[in-house]
Each structure stands twice: as structure tokens, then as C-alpha cells.
Amino acid sequence: MELTVKKLTVVSESHEYPIQKKGKGGGDEHDPGFLMDHRHLWMRDRRQWLILRVRATIIKAIRDYLDEHGFLLVDSPIFTGNACEGTTTLFATDWFDGSKAYLSQSGQLYQEATALAFGKTYCFGPTFRAEKSKTRRHLNEFWMVEPEAAFMDVHQDMDLAEDFLCYLVQTALTKHQAEMLEILPTNAEEKAWMEAHLKVLQGVQKPFPRISYDEAVRQIEAIRAEQKDAEQQKLLDIHWGMDFGSPHETELTKRYDKPIMVYGFPAAVKAFYMKKDPNRPEVALGFDVLAPEGYGEIVGGGQREDNLELLNKEIARHELNPESFLWYLDLRKWGSCPHAGFGLGVERTVAWVCGLHHVRETIPFARTLERLWP
RNA sequence: UCCGACAUAGCUCAGCUGGUAGAGCAUGUGACUGUUAAUCACAGGGUCCCUGGUUCGAGCCCAGGUGUCGGAGCCA
């Protein structure tokens, strides 16, 4: 395209722009820390511009899907009065009467209330974790969508998560596939990787492999036996009853080119509100969806304990204060029913779809352990 | 909290066995003008993260500290 300029107006002069063009070798002229310090300008870069538009597409797809499938948006509060699952992972702030308010780390408990009132609901907003996690998968402020439905069991919950995720990925691909291939890779090697990655995403169709925790443990044991590196063997140590660590998830998902659904975790390592398998009380009716290519857990969910007596026992076993949960227990006391739901992390999903190394690029202004600027 | 790596010009980095600081880009001046990652010439630009130590001499070696990044744990 060629333009014949008839008139030129300088709207604003810009001298010594802090972010430079690519170097002659084609590599980045700046390291990630510098770029994050200039996030307010960096987002004008075409790669960042695309990533944040993919995020917007995925967010719209989340709302469209749930709205069209009978879910009502009923948001959970962000301030909560009590620390539900331990204060160490919560940000505390001063409340009016000298007490503390905590920033929500999940809207789920409130979604159980709204689902029992409206049938199918979801909340979608920022979530806060005060964990001192410094990894490419963690932010201290991130966005999570949490659908919850009455009369839904864990199997229907997994069906929903599967269908939902397929819709999100395919919607993002339909809209952005061409520009993702054109813009995201910065060299020939990355371009080849992106071509393969887009094929993987095209293959994100139902059904996903569903692997029981028991089976996953067996597979990880087999993977561990193949490892030659002693360090890696140590990291992959596993036995029934242990929760998975990142190395377990990463190695397991490398074997698949679709997201996998792992279900039936040991109840002992899961949250107090998870319903137990009536046939195997040591197993919880929860599941995780693990993205391929090592992107980790993008969905966590399951069926909730709807039996008042069993729930009380779990609260005692986890040494939680029952008074904090009086309203939550009311939900079982008056008109309860089987119900289930899940949470999907927006940034991890966007990072996976875009094939990014780090989730910090998937949110306009990342908040991490060392970053409150800009 | 634990483990590891790194910290040199505005930015990205090099710097040998310890001998007193370099490149590219950016910036300034000039040349050129069909450019689009412009090109050419010249120039300016440094608390080598901080403190202490070893040494005739430390960007380099040692100790402590600070900061950044990655990983573990925890999780989306």
C-alpha cells in the first residue's frame, strides 16, 4: 500500500521514546523487566497489542458461552470478612470498625449460594492470592470465572468444563489465528513452533482424555522410571495420597496434545468443601484440567459436599472456625441439593492459547510479588 | 520460606590468567534523500549494584548486604 499525503498535522511530539525498535539481529532490544517497567508504553507494541486483544476475545467468549447456556451473572463479593482457607494466602486490609477485611481468593462459596437460588450462575472478576509465588504461571491478582450449577454432578461438571474450554479456544482461533501466526513469533524457529501450536489448538475438541488420579499416579511412576537424571527422579517422586506438584503435571501433560482431565484426587489433599465419592470415601469428586505443552492447571473444580453432617466433620478436620461458615452451612440446612462448579483462570488460558512463556503478558498491568508498577 | 542464576553507557550485551572500559542500537552534529530495521562520517556519554576484605593493583577473587529473574512449595 502506498499513501499520497496531502496534509500532515503533528498532534504530539515524541522524543527519545524509551522502547527501541528490534535490534539488527531481530532479537529483543530490552529485557522483560525493563519492558514491564514501561508496560504503559509496551502495550502499544504489536505483539502485546494482539495478546491483550486475544484476552478480550476470550473474556467475551466466556461471557457469551455462559450467558447462552443459562448461567446468570451473579458476582461474588471481593471483600470478605473471614479467612476461609487460612489467612496466609489472603491480602488483609483495614475495615471500618478496626477489624480486617480480606480480598477474595475465590468467589466459589458465594456461588454456591447464588446457584442454589438461581440454578446456574457464574461470577467473573479479579481474584487475589498473597502467595509468594515467583513463577511464570503465577500472579497475585488474576481473573477467574467461576460457574456453579444446582443439580449438577461431577461428571456433568467435567462435560461443561470440556465444552466450555473447546468453545473458548476455537473462538480465539477463528478470530485471531492468522495474526497470531504473523505477529507472535519473532524468528523462524518460533514461527515453526507456532504453526505446530496452532495445530494443537485446532485439535482441542471433545472429548478430552479423562484420567483418574489412580491412573495418573501409575503414569507418573512410569515416567519417573524412564528418567535418568537423579534430580528429576526426586522431583517426580509420587505415591497414592500425594498431591501433584508442578513437575508431575508438566511431565504428565507432555504425553498428550489435548487438555487432560484428572479426577478423583485423594480427599485428604483437597479442600474441605469437596464432596467425597460415596463408594470410596478417601476420594474427592473433584477434577483439574491440565493444559498441554506444560501450561499447567487452567481449571479446577468439582462437586461440593451437600451433606451438613459430613461438611461439619470436614470443617473440624481442617481446624476451621465453624462460626465463619454459618451462612455457608445454612445452604445445606435449608433446601440443599447436589451441586458443582469450577474455576477457570483467564491468564493461564490466554498464555496457553497464545503460546507465551509467562502469564504477565496476558494481563494489562501485572501484579506480582515484586511489581506494583506501573 | 528454600534452591539457583544474574547485576558493566539511555537500551541489549562483551570484557581473556587480576593490569586502570568496549561494541551494536539509541542520542547530538554534518552528509545523503524512494524511504519502509535507512545509509555514511564524526562526537558526547560510565559511582562496572552497595559495603568491607585480599592484592603493588579488583569490573574480574573472597565475605556480607541489596535488587532482579527463574524454579520449588501453594495454587488458576
Side-chain angles (χ1 to χ4, degrees):
Chain A
M1 185 170 72
E2 196 160 303
L3 298 175
T4 305
V5 178
K6 290 187 174 158
K7 188 184 175 193
L8 182 70
T9 306
V10 177
V11 175
S12 168
E13 290 190 24
S14 173
H15 300 288
E16 301 194 36
Y17 194 68
I19 299 176
Q20 298 178 13
K21 286 180 277 200
K22 298 282 186 196
K24 287 198 169 183
D28 284 329
E29 276 295 329
H30 302 286
D31 68 16
F34 180 89
L35 291 168
M36 288 301 286
D37 281 340
H38 296 81
R39 182 58 165 166
H40 47 298
L41 299 174
W42 189 30
M43 56 173 61
R44 300 176 184 185
D45 172 88
R46 65 202 297 248
R47 283 189 80 247
Q48 298 307 310
W49 197 66
L50 173 56
I51 292 162
L52 292 178
R53 280 162 49 243
V54 171
R55 174 191 173 93
T57 295
I58 287 175
I59 287 172
K60 183 175 186 303
I62 286 169
R63 309 191 92 104
D64 287 348
Y65 181 95
L66 293 172
D67 290 345
E68 285 162 19
H69 285 75
F71 285 80
L72 186 72
L73 176 68
V74 189
D75 280 313
S76 294
I78 286 173
F79 285 126
T80 59
N82 54 269
C84 291
E85 297 176 60
T87 52
T88 53
T89 62
L90 292 169
F91 286 104
T93 182
D94 293 326
W95 200 244
F96 300 109
D97 56 4
S99 66
K100 293 285 180 191
Y102 301 93
L103 299 186
S104 173
Q105 58 170 356
S106 166
Q108 184 215 308
L109 266 45
Y110 294 95
Q111 286 306 301
E112 293 188 47
T114 60
L116 292 174
F118 296 92
K120 293 158 86 175
T121 63
Y122 70 101
C123 64
F124 189 19
T127 277
F128 307 88
R129 305 267 166 100
E131 290 150 359
K132 292 186 176 179
S133 302
K134 294 194 291 183
T135 83
R136 71 182 77 161
R137 297 181 306 281
H138 288 88
L139 296 168
N140 292 294
E141 177 183 320
F142 65 97
W143 284 64
M144 183 159 69
V145 59
E146 294 175 278
E148 188 83 19
F151 295 104
M152 183 164 76
D153 66 19
V154 66
H155 303 290
Q156 295 165 316
D157 198 19
M158 288 166 76
D159 293 343
L160 176 68
E162 184 182 61
D163 195 54
F164 183 54
L165 199 53
C166 289
Y167 177 77
L168 302 186
V169 172
Q170 298 312 320
T171 301
L173 275 184
T174 302
K175 193 159 182 186
H176 299 292
Q177 186 163 8
E179 51 182 343
M180 280 169 68
L181 184 60
E182 190 205 329
I183 293 173
L184 292 177
T186 59
N187 57 44
E189 192 186 340
E190 286 179 11
K191 186 159 189 178
W193 185 90
M194 182 57 71
E195 279 171 353
H197 174 66
L198 289 171
K199 284 210 173 66
V200 170
L201 292 182
Q202 285 159 11
V204 177
Q205 307 283 354
K206 292 190 284 185
F208 296 166
R210 296 191 186 193
I211 303 163
S212 69
Y213 171 87
D214 305 331
E215 171 60 22
V217 168
R218 282 195 289 272
Q219 290 191 14
I220 292 166
E221 278 174 342
I223 293 167
R224 180 170 179 262
E226 292 166 10
Q227 301 295 319
K228 296 198 173 90
D229 182 48
E231 184 80 9
Q232 189 69 5
Q233 283 213 348
K234 193 180 170 191
L235 284 171
L236 288 174
D237 187 33
I238 189 85
H239 59 77
W240 203 98
M242 276 172 69
D243 202 359
F244 293 161
S246 292
H248 302 119
E249 290 182 0
T250 302
E251 290 304 318
L252 190 60
T253 56
K254 274 185 189 169
R255 293 187 145 200
Y256 300 88
D257 55 8
K258 275 189 189 184
I260 60 173
M261 308 181 95
V262 182
Y263 63 94
F265 285 88
V269 299
K270 288 293 175 183
F272 76 94
Y273 49 73
M274 277 215 185
K275 189 171 178 65
K276 293 181 183 50
D277 187 337
N279 303 316
R280 276 179 84 187
E282 74 278 17
V283 166
L285 296 175
F287 70 97
D288 287 345
V289 179
L290 308 177
E293 302 168 270
Y295 281 93
E297 185 182 343
I298 52 177
V299 170
Q303 198 168 335
R304 323 304 186 188
E305 184 54 74
D306 47 72
N307 179 294
L308 180 61
E309 197 183 333
L310 291 175
L311 192 55
N312 268 127
K313 274 187 190 165
E314 278 303 297
I315 287 172
R317 193 175 68 79
H318 282 81
E319 296 179 340
L320 299 168
N321 178 10
E323 293 205 357
S324 300
F325 297 98
L326 286 177
W327 69 264
Y328 185 70
L329 293 166
D330 281 352
L331 302 175
R332 278 72 183 168
K333 207 166 164 184
W334 291 299
S336 190
C337 73
H339 59 288
F342 62 82
L344 175 134
V346 169
E347 289 76 15
R348 285 187 183 177
T349 303
V350 176
W352 168 50
V353 168
C354 291
L356 303 178
H357 181 69
H358 202 297
V359 292
R360 69 188 155 207
E361 292 177 59
T362 67
I363 188 165
F365 296 96
R367 292 292 174 255
T368 63
L369 193 55
E370 305 291 348
R371 182 164 298 282
L372 208 45
W373 171 273

